[in-house]
Amino acid sequence: LVPGDVGFLNAGFHEFREEGHDNLLAVLDCMKKKGADKFPRFVYMTSSLQHFDTEHTLTNAAGERIKKCTNYVPENIMMKEEVQKFQDNLYIIGQDIDMTGLGNLHVGGEKTDCTHWFQPGVPDLFAALATDTIKRMVEQQEEESERMKMTSMANQNSFVAETPEHVLFNTFEVEQTFKYVDDGFDGEEDGDADYDADDGINKDYDDDHSDEDAEVGEEGAAPDVEEAAAVEEA
């Protein structure tokens, strides 16, 4: 499983049920500390109701002999326990299925199985809930992704609108400069013999501008140079 997947959890009916609850709570605590977005999303599926014709209605493991499953039990004790333990950490499905009066839909048979169900039947209700839950989670994820995309685009447009034009132009120049370097410009190795990689001097630039500097010197020499020339003529 990877982030974005959906997993369904249940601790079962048997003697390791309490241990299963403890292990699930430990896993959820670990996920919370490390960041839930790094893990799959989990949903807890409530335990379906048992209809043993005993005082506690849950099981005949105590040796109580029964001839048939009772059709009605007053409440789903296991589901109440699960909701109490996991409602703050997990999305729980199955709470809305009222199974208190569905005892006649259990397998029954010679072993009087008052835990498992005929099919089609109650298991199909849970399957429909699971399918609907996955669809809604996927839709929520897609909506959130689209919302984040639109927010990012709005922030980019706001930056462009509020940034002075000359800043954007300079940013473009910097990007082009780095692109030029990344494309493989490395001085002499690319045939540019006038680039001195050791001292970083572009000799073409110096040669092209030396004449310009000389012209500036002749037409507009500095005051101290003019004074020296006048003294020599005198």
Side-chain angles (χ1 to χ4, degrees):
L1 295 177
V2 297
D5 288 343
V6 179
F8 292 85
L9 305 173
N10 181 271
F13 294 98
H14 304 291
E15 62 276 4
F16 47 78
R17 176 179 169 82
E18 285 296 325
E19 181 181 355
H21 284 168
D22 293 340
N23 290 338
L24 288 178
L25 290 171
V27 169
L28 294 173
D29 184 62
C30 177
M31 290 171 57
K32 185 177 180 179
K33 291 179 179 178
K34 292 183 177 296
D37 59 330
K38 299 178 180 178
F39 298 89
R41 292 171 294 175
F42 290 106
V43 176
Y44 194 90
M45 182 176 290
T46 57
S47 298
S48 61
L49 191 57
Q50 295 174 302
H51 288 77
F52 289 101
D53 189 13
T54 60
E55 182 179 354
H56 47 74
T57 73
L58 297 179
T59 179
N60 59 351
E64 301 173 83
R65 299 182 64 84
I66 59 174
K67 294 182 179 180
K68 64 177 183 177
C69 304
T70 183
N71 188 52
Y72 176 82
V73 295
E75 61 179 346
N76 190 336
I77 297 175
M78 287 188 176
M79 185 177 70
K80 290 180 63 176
E81 177 188 28
E82 292 162 347
V83 171
Q84 182 179 5
K85 288 184 176 181
F86 298 110
Q87 62 182 347
D88 294 333
N89 299 296
L90 291 172
Y91 181 71
I92 301 176
I93 64 173
Q95 302 179 70
D96 300 328
I97 300 179
D98 183 6
M99 295 173 282
T100 55
L102 301 180
N104 60 334
L105 298 181
H106 285 291
V107 174
E110 295 181 1
K111 296 183 179 180
T112 319
D113 184 346
C114 303
T115 299
H116 301 93
W117 304 86
F118 284 117
Q119 289 183 296
V122 172
D124 298 282
L125 296 178
F126 280 94
L129 280 175
T131 302
D132 184 62
T133 299
I134 293 174
K135 288 175 62 178
R136 281 189 284 113
M137 284 187 165
V138 170
E139 290 173 356
Q140 291 172 0
Q141 185 177 13
E142 291 176 347
E143 291 174 0
E144 180 64 22
S145 176
E146 184 65 21
R147 185 161 48 249
M148 292 177 64
K149 179 180 178 181
M150 296 300 294
T151 300
S152 176
M153 292 176 62
N155 291 338
Q156 291 178 5
N157 293 336
S158 175
F159 171 78
V160 173
E162 297 175 2
T163 304
E165 183 178 352
H166 70 277
V167 174
L168 293 175
F169 180 74
N170 290 340
T171 302
F172 174 78
E173 285 186 324
V174 172
E175 292 176 349
Q176 293 302 307
T177 300
F178 279 107
K179 182 178 184 302
Y180 182 58
V181 174
D182 291 339
D183 286 344
F185 177 75
D186 55 3
E188 292 185 351
E189 292 183 6
D190 283 343
D192 189 351
D194 290 323
Y195 182 86
D196 192 334
D198 294 331
D199 54 19
I201 299 175
N202 190 322
K203 296 180 180 178
D204 281 343
Y205 178 89
D206 293 340
D207 293 341
D208 292 341
H209 290 73
S210 59
D211 294 339
E212 296 177 7
D213 294 340
E215 292 176 2
V216 171
E218 291 175 0
E219 296 176 0
D224 56 345
V225 176
E226 292 178 352
E227 291 176 2
V231 172
E232 289 181 1
E233 291 178 358

